[in-house]
Amino acid sequence: MKYQIQYPDYNRSILSVSASILNKFGINFNYPTLTEIDECLNKDYKNIVFLILDCMGTKILENSLNKNSVLRKYLKTNVTTVFPSTTVAATTAFHSGISPLENGWIGWMPYFKEYNNIIEIFTSKEFYTGKKLEIKSIGDDILKYKTIYSEITKKNPEVIYHKIFPSFVTNGAKSIEKLCDNIYQASNNKNKCNLISAYWNEPDHTIHHNGVYSAKQRMF
């Protein structure tokens, strides 16, 4: 099978998505915005939903769904991810608005000399044993960063931020249906503006176990 190398394009990457959101709320940004998103955000919607479906790139969509499916039919544009193209690096780039080189979140289990250990960066567990370490959260200590959401709500107090995640966080959703319901509940209120950040760990989880071209992946 012939593979094509895809390099990041930092003029049109996932960082540009964050830049467009920052631009919408008058916050300084480090990367070019996306015209396609800027045009949508200029319509002053009450609810802005920033939904990340882990690993759902264009090639995955083309392989898994027919061209008339909702996700392909209404596809606006393509962007690249960042390097390295891992879950930790990409999602943190989204949330921070800066690259993995700048925020230090490069992979699932880096080695931290401060603890002389290989640690799962999201969970603060020892990678090889799964033991929960008696340390501060990596995100609140060694690799602390400002989220785009904290910057936005600080400057725009009328904006209400909602974080909606799977069950690995406290009160997280146990299914994609529940995640969508939580998004609906967050948007169905009298707030002037709701900024909703949601994340789901599929199709990444399925792909890790079954591969990109498996039948189970296409059923997702």
Side-chain angles (χ1 to χ4, degrees):
M1 182 178 294
K2 186 177 181 180
Y3 293 93
Q4 180 181 359
I5 297 175
Q6 177 68 63
Y7 293 100
D9 177 2
Y10 286 109
N11 289 314
R12 288 185 63 84
S13 75
I14 58 176
L15 288 167
S16 292
V17 178
S18 301
S20 286
I21 295 175
L22 288 168
N23 181 49
K24 159 69 178 177
F25 293 103
I27 309 297
N28 293 331
F29 47 90
N30 298 336
Y31 292 86
T33 64
L34 290 172
T35 302
E36 296 87 348
I37 295 181
D38 294 338
E39 291 175 351
C40 290
L41 293 179
N42 283 337
K43 297 179 181 179
D44 290 326
Y45 291 110
K46 173 189 173 184
N47 298 303
I48 298 175
V49 181
F50 186 12
L51 173 61
I52 300 172
L53 299 176
D54 199 338
C55 200
M56 187 170 279
T58 305
K59 296 299 182 182
I60 301 298
L61 288 175
E62 291 175 352
N63 178 65
S64 304
L65 302 173
N66 68 63
K67 64 181 181 180
N68 293 318
S69 64
V70 170
L71 292 178
R72 290 189 62 186
K73 185 176 181 180
Y74 294 99
L75 180 67
K76 291 292 186 181
T77 190
N78 294 309
V79 298
T80 68
T81 186
V82 293
F83 181 84
S85 55
T86 68
T87 290
V88 168
T91 56
T92 307
F94 270 128
H95 298 316
S96 67
I98 55 179
S99 71
L101 177 65
E102 297 166 286
N103 61 44
W105 290 66
I106 60 174
W108 186 258
M109 65 297 188
Y111 169 77
F112 290 92
K113 65 180 182 180
E114 294 84 354
Y115 301 112
N116 190 29
N117 213 327
I118 297 175
I119 301 173
E120 292 183 0
I121 201 168
F122 275 173
T123 66
S124 295
K125 292 181 180 179
E126 188 176 47
F127 175 67
Y128 288 107
T129 66
K131 177 184 177 182
K132 182 71 175 179
L133 299 174
E134 297 299 323
I135 62 173
K136 290 183 178 180
S137 167
I138 299 297
D140 293 328
D141 185 19
I142 299 172
L143 296 180
K144 189 172 183 178
Y145 64 89
K146 292 181 179 179
T147 69
I148 63 173
Y149 318 112
S150 64
E151 295 293 290
I152 289 169
T153 54
K154 181 179 179 180
K155 186 172 182 178
N156 302 268
E158 75 280 5
V159 176
I160 306 301
Y161 171 60
H162 308 265
K163 178 180 177 180
I164 300 176
F165 269 54
S167 57
F168 58 72
V169 303
T170 303
N171 298 321
K174 294 183 179 180
S175 67
I176 185 66
E177 290 80 11
K178 180 59 178 175
L179 187 90
C180 292
D181 182 64
N182 289 346
I183 292 173
Y184 172 76
Q185 294 300 326
S187 64
N188 189 27
N189 56 51
K190 296 181 180 179
N191 296 331
K192 184 176 181 180
C193 181
N194 295 295
L195 177 57
I196 303 167
S197 165
Y199 167 82
W200 190 245
N201 60 346
E202 291 285 7
D204 182 70
H205 181 266
T206 299
I207 289 173
H208 272 295
H209 288 278
N210 301 287
V212 174
Y213 299 105
S214 72
K216 288 185 178 180
Q217 158 57 22
R218 290 192 293 272
M219 290 171 59
F220 171 73

